[in-house]
């Protein structure tokens, strides 16, 4: 069985700052991977490479069997055009630490926008689907609220619904609860837990170790642009093998 | 009774009815302003040298109204073209293509850097530089040859001058608006699979509008008066048409008052329109709070805001 996400020797540098130094990983369909590591280790950068918000400098990245950002022919690697890149991104949802909701649209419009503009769904169909998703994340009563009138936790749930509206094959979460007040973290994690239960494939950058232990199928510990260790979250969290993992976990647990 | 309410105010479980703080200086300032305003008004009404009867006679004069119409026409055309050029050059300026971004920078540099009067006269005299204008392929065959003298009428020269100049200013305004939109908005749009042009139209420009509209309104109001410069091309817009009249009857001040009244009226209408447009592009703002109220809040309660942003 082929993996939904596969990275082979992925390198990324910004100028002379070498951020990713050879990332290899693979993720089966329906699995949840939690990515942890100290600040600056390259977790966000890796996520952004997966949907080609950043172009990688070496290695290969596949999602759903498709090479991301490039097309391989017999003799060369070709950059994909904007249209192709957009088509690849349609199937990869992303949720950001700072929500990034569109402030000039209501919650409902935020969620319906992608399907109606990008997938050319009819307005009625897109709105109906958006409404259903917002109900699913517990915001059936906030359909017509603008983001500025929502709490952080509510905004993040709208953002999750917005990503889900594109019916993605893969969801990327970049520290979705880090900007939230502690009492709002739970409601967002509950939604994510539900998604994992429904079989969504997810890569989650998080500092919520309890969530990683409970929901994650694999935990990947990154430091300084490399994967230091990975495995079953309960195993890694209980018995980290590497000294760097131990040092990190002793700080966050 | 007075003691009754005061007593009530003392009970911690009753609604607070405190005696407002006294602001004597605010009263003094208000009184001073009112006195000065009254003096100004009286002098305007009682001083016969204003010649209000002449003002009244010419206010609805045919050539004045024609002039007003021309002024409005030039303002509208120049603003529409200027805004379009501004959007075009702002987007070019932000392009990763160096040729495009440097061309836009050069345009802005030139048209902001030379006096509008010079540009107007330049366009009017274009035929001295290019006697004929040829339509055809670059460096290739020519399909039509136009005489620059007949093509560049005073009207065309006026429109070209005002619009190209306005476009340079608008480009900077639009650019400021575009860069004011946080990067996260672009990333969120990209991650949904939206194309660059779609992101620009649906996400970036609508948000940039909040930053773009106030200075654009300012520019439109300025254009109303700047357009009087086209009188050098002998176009009888509002100011020039009253100048023609007082050139004949020497009633300079009353006629300038006539022009000013029309300029003020047009400005008021533009200001109202600006407020409406600003509202339209801020749908997520509290509709109950007026702009004046927001301005007051922001002027007086900086500490509260700092706390809010935390
Ligand atoms: N756009 C960029 N340009 C230049 N350098 C960047 C850029 N984005 C990230 N970096 C650098 O890449 C390194 C890794 O950043 P990244 O955001 O991936 O870390 P992270 O693991 O997500 O950290 P955090 O937990 O703080 O979010 C950092 O040194 C950062 O300075
Ligand atoms: Mg990060």
């Amino acid at each position: 069985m082929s993996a939904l996400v596969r990275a082979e020797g992925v390198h990324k540098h910004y100028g002379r700052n070498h951020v990713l130094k050879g990332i290899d990983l693979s993720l089966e369909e329906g699995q949840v991977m939690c990515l942890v590591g100290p600040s600056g280790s390259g977790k966000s950068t890796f996520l952004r490479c997966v949907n080609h918000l950043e172009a990688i400098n070496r290695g290969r990245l596949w999602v759903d069997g498709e090479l991301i950002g490039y097309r391989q022919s017999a003799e060369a690697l070709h950059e994909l055009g904007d249209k192709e890149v957009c088509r690849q991104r349609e199937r990869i949802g992303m949720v950001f630490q700072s929500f990034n909701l569109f402030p000039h649209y209501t919650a409902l419009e935020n969620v319906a926008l992608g399907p109606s503009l990008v997938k050319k769904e009819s307005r009625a169909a897109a709105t109906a689907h958006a409404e259903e998703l917002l109900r699913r994340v517990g915001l059936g009563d906030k359909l017509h609220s603008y983001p500025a009138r929502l709490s952080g936790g509510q905004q993040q749930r709208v953002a999750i619904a917005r990503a889900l509206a594109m019916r993605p094959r893969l969801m990327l979460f970049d520290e979705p609860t880090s900007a939230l007040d502690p009492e709002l973290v739970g409601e967002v994690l509950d939604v994510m837990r539900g998604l994992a239960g429904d079989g969504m494939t997810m890569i989650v950058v998080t500092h919520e170790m309890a969530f990683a232990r409970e929901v994650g199928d694999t935990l990947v510990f990154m430091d300084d642009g490399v994967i230091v260790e990975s495995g079953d979250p309960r195993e890694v969290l209980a018995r980290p093998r590497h000294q760097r993992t131990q040092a990190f976990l002793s700080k966050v647990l | 009774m007075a003691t009754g309410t005061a007593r009530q105010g003392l009970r911690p479980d009753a609604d607070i009815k405190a005696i407002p703080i006294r602001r004597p200086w605010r009263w003094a300032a208000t009184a001073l302003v009112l006195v000065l305003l009254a003096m100004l008004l009286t002098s305007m009404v009682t001083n016969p040298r204003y010649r209000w009867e002449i003002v009244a006679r010419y206010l609805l004069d045919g050539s004045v109204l024609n002039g007003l119409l021309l002024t409005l026409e030039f303002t509208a055309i120049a603003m529409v073209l200027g805004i379009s050029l501004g959007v075009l050059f702002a987007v070019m300026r932000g392009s990763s293509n160096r040729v495009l971004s440097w061309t836009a920078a050069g345009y802005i540099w030139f048209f902001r850097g030379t006096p509008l009067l010079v540009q107007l006269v330049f366009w009017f005299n274009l035929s001295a530089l290019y006697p004929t204008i040829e339509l055809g392929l670059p460096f290739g065959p020519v399909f039509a040859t136009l005489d620059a003298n007949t093509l560049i009428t005073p009207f065309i020269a006026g429109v070209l001058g005002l619009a190209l100049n306005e476009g340079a200013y608008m480009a900077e305004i639009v650019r400021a608006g575009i860069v004011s939109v946080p990067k996260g908005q672009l990333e969120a749009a990209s991650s949904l699979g939206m194309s660059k042009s779609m992101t620009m139209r649906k996400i970036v420009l609508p948000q940039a509008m909040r930053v773009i509209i106030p200075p654009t309104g300012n520019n439109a109001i300025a254009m109303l008066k700047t357009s009087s410069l086209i009188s050098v091309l002998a176009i009888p817009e509002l100011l020039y048409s009253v100048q023609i009249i007082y050139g004949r009857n020497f009633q300079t001040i009353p006629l300038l008052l006539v022009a000013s009244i029309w300029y003020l009226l047009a400005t008021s209408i533009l200001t109202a329109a600006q407020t409406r447009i600003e509202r339209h592009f801020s749908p997520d703002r509290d509709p109950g709070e007026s702009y004046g109220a927001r301005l007051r809040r922001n002027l007086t309660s900086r500490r509260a805001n700092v706390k809010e942003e935390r």
Side-chain angles (χ1 to χ4, degrees), chain A residues 4 28-32 196 199-202 217:
Chain A
L4 188 75
E28 302 295 324
E29 183 155 12
Q31 301 250 297
V32 176
M200 177 60 78
T201 316
M202 325 202 306
D217 296 295

Side-chain angles (χ1 to χ4, degrees), chain A residues 48 51 53-54 82 85-87 89-90 92-94 96 98-105 110 113-114 117-118 120 146-149 162-163 166 181, chain B residues 181-196 198-199 201-207 210 280-287 289 310:
Chain A
R48 297 158 56 80
N51 69 354
L53 280 181
E54 302 286 352
D82 287 345
V85 171
C86 287
R87 189 185 53 76
R89 285 186 185 136
E90 276 180 41
I92 306 173
M94 188 160 197
F96 303 85
S98 48
F99 326 136
N100 296 345
L101 290 180
F102 306 129
H104 54 306
Y105 291 118
N110 263 279
L113 197 67
L117 284 183
V118 178
K120 313 286 177 209
Y146 285 97
R149 300 253 168 270
R162 176 177 69 178
M166 297 297 291
D181 287 337
Chain B
V181 177
K183 206 166 132 253
Q185 293 288 310
L186 302 176
E187 295 180 347
S190 299
S191 76
L192 289 173
M194 291 171 68
S195 68
K196 282 179 187 157
M198 203 182 276
T199 306
R201 277 182 292 116
K202 296 290 181 176
I203 307 299
V204 177
L205 284 180
Q207 292 186 63
R210 295 169 185 197
H280 174 79
F281 281 102
S282 305
D284 53 325
R285 293 248 167 83
D286 185 353
E289 192 182 32
R310 190 188 34 121

Side-chain angles (χ1 to χ4, degrees), chain A residues 32-36 47 171-176 192 202-206 211:
Chain A
V32 176
M33 173 182 284
C34 291
L35 209 53
V36 303
L47 273 198
M171 285 284 284
L172 308 174
F173 291 85
D174 191 0
E175 302 196 32
M192 292 169 61
M202 325 202 306
I203 304 181
V204 185
V205 175
T206 185
F211 176 84

Side-chain angles (χ1 to χ4, degrees), chain A residues 34 36 189 193 206-216 219 233-234 237 252-253:
Chain A
C34 291
V36 303
L189 292 183
R193 202 173 281 126
T206 185
H207 292 298
E208 300 290 333
M209 295 303 157
F211 176 84
R213 182 184 295 125
E214 179 202 344
V215 181
L219 186 135
R234 269 149 298 207
L237 289 173
V252 297
L253 282 181

Side-chain angles (χ1 to χ4, degrees), chain A residues 20-96:
Chain A
L20 298 179
K21 303 170 180 170
I23 301 289
D24 297 281
L25 56 77
S26 77
L27 181 64
E28 302 295 324
E29 183 155 12
Q31 301 250 297
V32 176
M33 173 182 284
C34 291
L35 209 53
V36 303
S39 181
S41 55
K43 308 178 298 289
S44 301
T45 304
F46 178 73
L47 273 198
R48 297 158 56 80
C49 289
V50 172
N51 69 354
H52 205 55
L53 280 181
E54 302 286 352
I56 62 178
N57 299 109
R58 203 193 305 168
R60 297 285 187 273
L61 241 170
W62 291 267
V63 174
D64 206 6
E66 258 186 63
L67 197 59
I68 291 295
Y70 302 93
R71 183 166 43 79
Q72 176 107 51
S73 69
E75 65 279 9
L77 202 59
H78 304 267
E79 249 182 47
L80 287 185
D82 287 345
K83 237 183 169 167
E84 287 295 294
V85 171
C86 287
R87 189 185 53 76
Q88 291 189 331
R89 285 186 185 136
E90 276 180 41
R91 291 176 296 170
I92 306 173
M94 188 160 197
V95 175
F96 303 85

